Amino acid sequence: MGKKLLSEKFYSAMTTLESRYPSKVALLLPALHAAQDEFGWLSPEILEEVGDFIGIHPAQVREVASFYTMYNLKPVGKYHLKVCTNVACCLRGSEELVQHCEKKFGIQVGETTRDKKFTLVEEECLGACGTAPAMMLNDDYHENLTVSKLDQLLDHLE
Ligand code: FES
């Protein structure tokens, strides 16, 4: 493979972690996480590089990455909205939040706005059922959401 895309920081973090894990394969999830932190998503080239590092085929890396919704296999916008539509959130109006976002951004679930600012996805339970409906905006939780709270939040984003 050609020039490495992942940083020195990535490789040194992985070397540190390696000593704490039973095998290199066990590093796969943290490696994907760290790689996504660097690029915002996991391109085929990055999956290949992670596979090279771990010593497994890129197809296996992709299979694992596609199993978990937290890994982005497509580029995402600056703001990544993950609206939970599982039972508790659904009962408390998450569908309305999703529809509101679709209309506001002019996109469907799974899409990114043309200016690359917003990506909208539906998410399985975020573990915040007691304060449903819940959403993650990048790495932050927003709970007890209503359409107007959501608007307030979105309208203040740069
Ligand atoms: S169902 Fe939405 S956070 Fe659990």
Side-chain angles (χ1 to χ4, degrees), residues 83-90 94 123-135 141:
V83 183
C84 173
T85 50
N86 214 317
V87 185
C89 289
C90 196
S94 61
E123 197 51 90
E124 291 303 319
C125 183
L126 294 170
C129 319
T131 47
M135 167 188 99
Y141 274 86

Side-chain angles (χ1 to χ4, degrees), residues 21-131:
Y21 280 73
S23 66
K24 213 167 179 185
V25 173
L27 273 181
L28 180 55
L29 296 185
L32 288 172
H33 195 85
Q36 182 163 287
D37 272 354
E38 293 200 354
F39 294 92
W41 70 294
L42 298 165
S43 65
E45 296 75 22
I46 293 296
L47 294 178
E48 190 179 335
E49 192 172 328
V50 170
D52 272 357
F53 169 72
I54 302 277
I56 57 177
H57 195 275
Q60 286 175 291
V61 181
R62 190 182 173 83
E63 201 180 308
V64 171
S66 61
F67 181 77
Y68 296 96
T69 57
M70 68 214 178
Y71 299 121
N72 307 318
L73 296 176
K74 285 194 298 192
V76 294
K78 181 175 179 194
Y79 298 109
H80 193 188
L81 282 79
K82 293 161 255 184
V83 183
C84 173
T85 50
N86 214 317
V87 185
C89 289
C90 196
L91 290 173
R92 292 181 49 97
S94 61
E95 283 301 327
E96 197 190 342
L97 298 173
V98 170
Q99 282 163 16
H100 182 72
C101 289
E102 286 183 329
K103 211 161 140 202
K104 191 175 176 95
F105 302 146
I107 57 173
Q108 302 285 307
V109 168
E111 293 179 348
T112 299
T113 53
R114 201 171 296 182
D115 62 3
K116 308 263 183 285
K117 196 165 172 190
F118 296 102
T119 298
L120 175 67
V121 297
E122 288 182 340
E123 197 51 90
E124 291 303 319
C125 183
L126 294 170
C129 319
T131 47

